[in-house]
Amino acid sequence: MSRMTGDSTRCVKAVAHEGVPGSPLQAGPVFAAPYLLGEDERDDVDTYARASNPGWRALESALAALEHASAARVVGSGMSAITVALRSLVAPGSTVVVPSDGYYQVRKFATGYLAPHGIEVHELSVAEFADGSLRRVLDGAGKGAVVLAETPSNPGLDTVDLRATAAACRRAGALLLVDNTTATPLGQRPLDLGADVVVASGTKSLSGHSDLLFGYAAVADPGLLPAIDRERLLSGTVLGPFETWLAHRSLGTAGLRFERQCANALAVAAMLLGHPAVTDVRYPGLVSDRAHAVAAGQMSRFGPLLTFRLPGRDEVHRFVRAATLVAPATSFGGIHTTADRRARWGDAVPEGFVRLSCGIEDTADLLADLDAALNAR
């Protein structure tokens, strides 16, 4: 039996290719214009870049390897991954379950687009995934339902027990989709835990430099791919060639970056637990956190995100202004530490709720900067 390799080794191997003397380590972007049709008119692999292209296939192969998937498909953003997957897999008259305490745009899509097309939408919180509510919804839904779980949830960082949820879906003949954006395949592999499809935003920790948008769907059963391929092709929600190249290039260092981000997040969360300026510190990696028991059973690392609470809006802005290593930003997972006051987006959180995304700064420097910023007057 071959020895299991570490995350950084997996990332490097995922983007490696056979070296050719005198050639670049990685080919540049593959654009649509050079595609030439053959005389046979039947066997052309690449006829138009919106259907498939060599750049996509290289990135998709790497993502499938990291997710332990049979295959992956890249799209233009994380939200595109969710909408392409849901439009592919649900039909009028069927049922879809989406998180009530996850990314708010998913709820908007479900109620604003799926429901008017005859799809019954249920919104369940992380707690309701575990208290019998999901089972009751699935019992009344019949076969063909689709369940979307987000774990850890954004922004609350609660965790869904994926093994139990997958088992409930199998009993009901439902498909389980898991949004793996926060954890990444370097922290959690939902397909190994029984999920059917992983959807994620690669914009964040996987690409890691806050300079591109991309998303992907990865499947356990390749039989799900034709519907996803058709939806991607016809909707045109595709990833551009340069973004494809940048994302593939970035994956090689994802293991190193994610390891530092997670180490920083754990250290910051532990420091904040005892800080008099903050309350309600949440991080699944903390043994004292209410999400830890489930997280520890299915995650190998706990991600770059943590949350805490300051008294109000003004205190959040004062903290960000005083920090020298924290930038205000609503995306996350980059090499720089960022903070977002989530109440501004309408999330059901207090005005002083802060979601902090830890970057790859030296841990001691980050701790000192955060402490000074929290103590600033």
Side-chain angles (χ1 to χ4, degrees), residues 29-63:
V30 179
F31 295 97
Y35 292 171
L36 301 176
L37 301 179
E39 294 180 1
D40 190 293
E41 298 189 359
R42 290 178 300 177
D43 297 329
D44 296 303
V45 174
D46 294 313
T47 57
Y48 197 65
R50 180 163 48 86
S52 183
N53 61 72
W56 284 1
R57 291 193 293 274
L59 178 57
E60 289 166 349
S61 176
L63 292 167

Side-chain angles (χ1 to χ4, degrees), residues 269-304:
M271 183 269 282
L272 293 178
L273 277 178
H275 203 288
V278 306
T279 58
D280 300 331
V281 178
R282 295 294 313 277
Y283 184 63
L286 291 171
V287 175
S288 60
D289 192 275
R290 63 176 179 265
H292 181 75
V294 172
Q298 63 191 31
M299 299 180 72
S300 57
R301 291 194 177 93
F302 301 102

Side-chain angles (χ1 to χ4, degrees), residues 19 39 142 216 240 250 261 264 323 340 350:
E39 294 180 1
Y216 66 91
S250 298
Q261 289 170 327
N264 278 348
D340 190 21

Side-chain angles (χ1 to χ4, degrees), residues 28 39 78 121 137-138 146 148 175 179 250 373 375:
E39 294 180 1
V121 175
V137 169
L138 293 178
V146 173
L148 174 63
L175 289 175
D179 186 338
S250 298
N375 292 328

Side-chain angles (χ1 to χ4, degrees), residues 1-375:
M1 180 180 295
S2 61
R3 187 179 69 85
M4 290 292 291
T5 56
D7 284 338
S8 290
T9 304
R10 293 174 60 233
C11 289
V12 171
K13 287 179 66 65
V15 303
H17 67 91
E18 185 177 351
V20 177
S23 69
L25 292 175
Q26 181 174 330
V30 179
F31 295 97
Y35 292 171
L36 301 176
L37 301 179
E39 294 180 1
D40 190 293
E41 298 189 359
R42 290 178 300 177
D43 297 329
D44 296 303
V45 174
D46 294 313
T47 57
Y48 197 65
R50 180 163 48 86
S52 183
N53 61 72
W56 284 1
R57 291 193 293 274
L59 178 57
E60 289 166 349
S61 176
L63 292 167
L66 293 178
E67 289 284 4
H68 288 185
S70 65
R73 292 294 185 264
V74 294
V75 290
S77 69
M79 191 65 196
S80 292
I82 291 171
T83 60
V84 164
L86 290 178
R87 289 197 304 263
S88 303
L89 301 174
V90 299
S94 62
T95 296
V96 65
V97 176
V98 297
S100 65
D101 49 3
Y103 184 46
Y104 71 100
Q105 296 281 24
V106 175
R107 297 191 295 277
K108 287 187 175 182
F109 174 75
T111 57
Y113 179 86
L114 297 180
H117 284 79
I119 295 160
E120 186 174 340
V121 175
H122 292 264
E123 297 181 12
L124 298 182
S125 66
V126 168
E128 289 172 317
F129 268 77
D131 70 2
S133 298
L134 176 63
R135 178 180 54 79
R136 289 189 289 273
V137 169
L138 293 178
D139 285 346
K143 294 190 182 300
V146 173
V147 176
L148 174 63
E150 181 185 63
T151 182
S153 62
N154 178 19
L157 301 183
D158 287 309
T159 49
V160 174
D161 186 329
L162 291 180
R163 291 185 183 88
T165 302
C169 289
R170 281 195 300 273
R171 287 193 295 269
L175 289 175
L176 175 60
L177 281 64
V178 177
D179 186 338
N180 204 31
T181 299
T182 304
T184 84
L186 306 179
Q188 174 177 267
R189 289 189 287 275
L191 299 180
D192 290 350
L193 301 170
D196 298 288
V197 181
V198 164
V199 290
S201 170
T203 303
K204 301 173 174 67
S205 294
L206 281 185
S207 59
H209 292 81
S210 307
D211 57 3
L212 63 94
L213 294 171
F214 99 92
Y216 66 91
V219 300
D221 177 7
L224 298 175
L225 286 177
I228 292 174
D229 286 342
R230 181 177 184 274
E231 179 61 36
R232 178 177 68 174
L233 175 69
L234 296 181
S235 67
T237 177
V238 296
L239 187 60
F242 191 63
E243 290 78 8
T244 301
W245 178 73
L246 281 176
H248 193 203
R249 178 187 175 108
S250 298
L251 280 185
T253 59
L256 288 170
R257 288 184 277 103
F258 196 68
E259 182 177 20
R260 172 60 69 85
Q261 289 170 327
C262 294
N264 278 348
L266 181 59
V268 169
M271 183 269 282
L272 293 178
L273 277 178
H275 203 288
V278 306
T279 58
D280 300 331
V281 178
R282 295 294 313 277
Y283 184 63
L286 291 171
V287 175
S288 60
D289 192 275
R290 63 176 179 265
H292 181 75
V294 172
Q298 63 191 31
M299 299 180 72
S300 57
R301 291 194 177 93
F302 301 102
L305 295 183
L306 62 114
T307 67
F308 58 93
R309 183 176 173 183
L310 293 172
R313 177 182 182 274
D314 292 343
E315 287 79 5
V316 174
H317 290 308
R318 184 183 306 127
F319 157 69
V320 174
R321 284 196 304 270
T324 62
L325 296 179
V326 180
T330 191
S331 192
F332 60 85
I335 60 173
H336 303 96
T337 295
T338 60
D340 190 21
R341 193 182 73 85
R342 291 304 300 175
R344 69 180 295 179
W345 307 111
D347 283 333
V349 295
E351 288 295 309
F353 181 98
V354 178
R355 188 189 67 192
L356 192 78
S357 173
C358 290
I360 64 170
E361 300 90 353
D362 287 292
T363 305
D365 295 335
L366 184 58
L367 292 174
D369 187 61
L370 294 174
D371 182 57
L374 288 169
N375 292 328

